Amino acid sequence: MTTTQRLPRAWRDELVLTLRERDVSGADIGDALAHVESFCADAGQDADEAFGPARDYAASLRLPSGSPTPTPGPLLTRAMLLRYAVGMVAVALVGMSAASWARAEPLRLGAAHLAVTVVALVCLGLLVRHLTTFVRWCTTRSWVAWIVTQAGAWVAVGLGFLAAHLLPGVGVTVPAAPLTAVAAAVLVVPALVAQLRGSLDDADVVAGPLEDPAAVGRRSRRANTLLTWALPLCGLVSAGLTLGLDQLLRG
């Protein structure tokens, strides 16, 4: 059995998550992982046998809190979650308003849009309230997080169709061009500011004992760049699909 096999992924992820929740730095977490790897290799034991459950072992470590740089990965903060929620609304608005702008028509927002927005706000509130639990699901039980996400999305879609059927005449008209411009700015400006400030390069990464810290840092920067520009890219795809579908329907 190799040293990497003595530290199962589930045990490692649980240790990292528990220490990250205490805001322990990536360097200290890496040192803790190195100690566990070294001990297991010398003793011929696996991590759970030698140190017990990862959560209990993490609680026994007296490590300082206060990571010097932002924590990367799936450990979302409430502010970041709010930003992505606003971004997803902007993605939807860009997609809906782009076709109306191309036709020189105002955008009509009806009861279906209101119902979907209400469901989205309720889901956001639940996420904020149970953020730590959801983050753990994303990392250790991704299938549970996927089911919860899909359930919320389909509930929103179902209520949207129901509202459109029951209240077809309810709605407001909004100028398409200003709405498209504002939604696009909401998507692009935060990503551009993060890129120009260089905040994508200073994440506090965790490098395991058998990993090259420089390589881990490069992967983290690529992941951060992709995440930062994910919403603008989604907005571009949304607008392109909407315009393409509109052209097909009109043709």
Side-chain angles (χ1 to χ4, degrees):
M1 182 180 288
T2 64
T3 54
T4 54
Q5 290 173 320
R6 290 194 178 94
L7 194 55
R9 182 182 180 88
W11 197 95
R12 181 184 190 274
D13 288 346
E14 183 68 26
L15 178 66
V16 172
L17 277 171
T18 304
L19 293 177
R20 279 301 197 189
E21 288 169 2
R22 289 166 43 189
D23 201 24
V24 175
S25 70
D28 286 337
I29 295 175
D31 289 343
L33 290 172
H35 171 70
V36 173
E37 290 273 15
S38 177
F39 183 90
C40 290
D42 293 339
Q45 298 176 300
D46 61 29
D48 198 66
E49 181 183 2
F51 295 92
R55 179 183 284 270
D56 294 342
Y57 176 63
S60 71
L61 297 176
R62 299 295 180 260
L63 296 175
S65 61
S67 177
T69 53
T71 299
L75 295 182
L76 297 172
T77 63
R78 285 169 173 79
M80 190 184 302
L81 188 62
L82 180 61
R83 176 195 160 196
Y84 278 108
V86 172
M88 290 307 297
V89 172
V91 168
L93 289 176
V94 164
M96 291 187 298
S97 60
S100 297
W101 188 6
R103 295 193 303 265
E105 299 175 354
L107 175 66
R108 180 175 177 78
L109 299 176
H113 303 99
L114 178 61
V116 172
T117 302
V118 169
V119 173
L121 290 175
V122 171
C123 291
L124 176 62
L126 291 174
L127 274 179
V128 170
R129 184 175 179 82
H130 304 286
L131 184 58
T132 301
T133 300
F134 186 75
V135 167
R136 284 187 170 277
W137 285 350
C138 290
T139 305
T140 61
R141 298 180 182 178
S142 56
W143 61 273
V144 176
W146 184 85
I147 290 175
V148 170
T149 304
Q150 290 296 311
W154 284 109
V155 167
V157 171
L159 286 180
F161 279 117
L162 181 62
H165 176 71
L166 296 178
L167 302 169
V170 176
V172 295
T173 300
V174 183
L179 183 61
T180 305
V182 170
V186 169
L187 293 174
V188 173
V189 170
L192 189 60
V193 169
Q195 191 81 48
L196 294 176
R197 284 181 176 176
S199 57
L200 305 182
D201 301 328
D202 58 359
D204 181 26
V205 299
V206 178
L210 302 180
E211 297 176 310
D212 178 15
V216 174
R218 287 193 296 270
R219 290 200 301 270
S220 176
R221 285 191 291 273
R222 286 196 295 268
N224 284 342
T225 301
L226 180 61
L227 281 174
T228 298
W229 288 97
L231 286 175
L233 289 174
C234 286
L236 183 63
V237 171
S238 177
L241 289 175
T242 305
L243 288 170
L245 183 60
D246 181 67
Q247 288 296 323
L248 286 176
L249 294 175
R250 294 170 63 187

